[in-house]
Amino acid sequence: MGEQQRDQRGVRPEEAEAWETLVATARRTVADGLVVGTSGNVSVRVGETVLVTPSGVPYDRLSAEDVTGVDLDGRQVLGALVPTSELPMHLAIYRATDAGAVVHTHAVHATAVSTLVTELPLIHYMAAALGGPVRVAPYATYGTQELAENMLRALTDRTACLLQNHGTMACGATLDQAYDRTAQLEWMCRVWLTASSVPGLAPSLLSEGQVAEVGERLRGYGQRGPSGG
């Protein structure tokens, strides 16, 4: 049935809809200052296909005709544009987790922090929303399998990490969730850098136990129906 629904480009309706959301998310990373130019990339999984931003194309120029997709082995199955050079990182996450979307940025504060520490100090309890203390994946050349492997180790039991001298990587069930985690990570990095810059003072930090306690509370956070709080 799905094959019969494909258009002349071979794109299914759910893929076309996901591409529209992907492009909007990619443009949002620029508008919110998380990337400059064509740095960073975004992907979303639709079944066994991974839609991904193409390499070197400004996001404001992407249209519905530019759908770019690969299978989980990296073979191109949709479109003619070359997928992002960071594809190995995206595919590594989809193969190893049940993530539905991935956002990678070169956010300024997060990238700065990645050059200073091996783990983001626990400056705020929202680290719990990312699974705990945010690790920094050791540096490796972009687009390499080595970087993808370093990233996966840093993401163990986490939904976001920093890439040393590079940027951020965050995943989620949806593009909105992956983007929100990226924004939270950049904000926490900014808070730590700001607090650390006051001469003669050092920021107070939370314990892993305190962050874990917040993690438990967050599991029940949000609307819970007509009688929810």
Side-chain angles (χ1 to χ4, degrees):
M1 179 70 71
E3 294 300 318
Q4 296 175 353
Q5 294 176 338
R6 292 182 184 275
D7 64 17
Q8 65 274 16
R9 298 167 300 155
V11 180
R12 294 176 295 171
E14 57 266 38
E15 292 168 342
E17 183 177 352
W19 177 255
E20 184 178 340
T21 304
L22 179 148
V23 171
T25 302
R27 289 174 178 168
R28 189 178 174 193
T29 65
V30 177
D32 290 352
L34 298 177
V35 305
V36 175
T38 60
S39 64
N41 27 77
V42 178
S43 69
V44 62
R45 181 173 178 173
V46 182
E48 297 303 300
T49 300
V50 174
L51 304 180
V52 63
T53 47
S55 179
V57 180
Y59 299 145
D60 60 358
R61 295 185 191 171
L62 289 177
S63 71
E65 303 304 310
D66 296 321
V67 177
T68 305
V70 300
D71 64 18
L72 292 173
D73 291 321
R75 291 185 291 261
Q76 189 149 0
V77 294
L78 292 174
L81 295 175
V82 176
T84 173
S85 57
E86 301 281 21
L87 186 60
M89 281 201 295
H90 291 258
L91 293 180
I93 290 176
Y94 292 121
R95 292 185 195 125
T97 74
D98 60 357
V102 174
V103 173
H104 166 53
T105 79
H106 294 176
V108 172
H109 301 90
T111 304
V113 169
S114 80
T115 70
L116 298 171
V117 294
T118 57
E119 185 175 277
L120 174 63
L122 289 174
I123 193 73
H124 197 274
Y125 64 77
M126 281 307 288
L130 305 179
V134 177
R135 307 182 188 100
V136 179
Y139 181 81
T141 305
Y142 79 91
T144 61
Q145 196 59 41
E146 181 185 4
L147 177 58
E149 291 169 0
N150 291 351
M151 174 213 64
L152 269 188
R153 283 192 292 271
L155 278 177
T156 302
D157 299 323
R158 302 288 186 270
T159 54
C161 72
L162 297 175
L163 306 172
Q164 187 181 25
N165 293 81
H166 188 156
T168 69
M169 206 70 183
C171 58
T174 65
L175 279 165
D176 279 346
Q177 188 175 57
Y179 183 88
D180 184 64
R181 286 169 172 166
T182 301
Q184 289 283 359
L185 177 54
E186 167 67 357
W187 179 82
M188 282 191 292
C189 288
R190 185 177 182 181
V191 169
W192 181 69
L193 286 172
T194 302
S196 299
S197 68
V198 180
L201 294 176
S204 62
L205 299 174
L206 302 175
S207 69
E208 289 200 27
Q210 287 172 318
V211 171
E213 183 178 353
V214 171
E216 290 298 321
R217 292 178 66 89
L218 286 176
R219 287 188 178 88
Y221 180 76
Q223 303 301 312
R224 294 185 291 276
S227 59

